[in-house]
């Protein structure tokens, strides 16, 4: 397992894989919770090594809810980083496409 693991929509997982990160595409709460538990080692079939950084989209973090907050409060690895998903971001933040357009001037 690489140092980074992404739990997100399929397109974002593929993009992160191109950069060398492992990941799992999820479509609902049950899949998100299962992927999270495997990544942090709370599943019987979890791999022996764990990532150092776990990247979640806002949508996935909302699906997992308390489980992710409890993990963060414990202060263990992997660290959780929350990124905007493909859709509109919550809290008035820009979406991923807007940030890419702003950063490199290309509309995706």
């Amino acid at each position: 397992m690489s140092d980074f693991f992404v739990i997100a929509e399929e397109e974002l997982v593929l993009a992160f894989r191109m950069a060398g990160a492992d990941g799992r595409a999820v479509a609902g709460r049950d899949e998100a919770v299962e992927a999270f538990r495997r990544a942090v080692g709370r599943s019987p079939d979890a791999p022996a090594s764990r990532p150092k950084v776990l990247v979640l989209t806002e949508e996935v973090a909302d699906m997992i809810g308390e489980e992710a907050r409890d993990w963060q409060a414990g202060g263990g690895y992997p660290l959780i980083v929350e990124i905007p998903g493909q859709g509109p971001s919550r809290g008035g933040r820009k979406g991923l496409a807007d940030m890419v357009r702003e950063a490199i001037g290309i509309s995706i």
Side-chain angles (χ1 to χ4, degrees):
M1 184 173 285
S2 73
D3 288 344
F4 292 87
F5 191 84
V6 182
I7 303 174
E9 299 87 4
E10 187 172 357
E11 294 83 1
L12 286 175
V13 171
L14 289 173
F16 274 90
R17 280 189 183 147
M18 284 191 221
D22 292 328
R24 169 122 183 249
V26 296
R29 184 184 190 293
D30 292 340
E31 288 180 5
V33 169
E34 177 188 339
F36 177 80
R37 287 181 180 163
R38 282 193 52 135
V40 299
R42 288 185 177 171
S43 174
D45 61 341
S49 66
R50 291 188 295 171
K52 293 182 177 140
V53 178
L54 181 59
V55 180
L56 309 174
T57 58
E58 292 174 339
E59 295 85 1
V60 170
D62 287 343
M63 284 187 237
I64 295 171
E66 276 303 307
E67 194 139 359
R69 284 188 288 280
D70 289 346
W71 181 264
Q72 285 178 310
Y77 283 98
L79 300 175
I80 296 176
V81 176
E82 201 173 309
I83 63 169
Q86 294 178 306
S89 183
R90 67 174 183 229
R93 291 189 280 182
K94 297 176 186 166
L96 184 58
D98 293 329
M99 288 192 290
V100 169
R101 186 181 320 77
E102 218 174 80
I104 60 175
I106 296 175
S107 182
I108 57 172

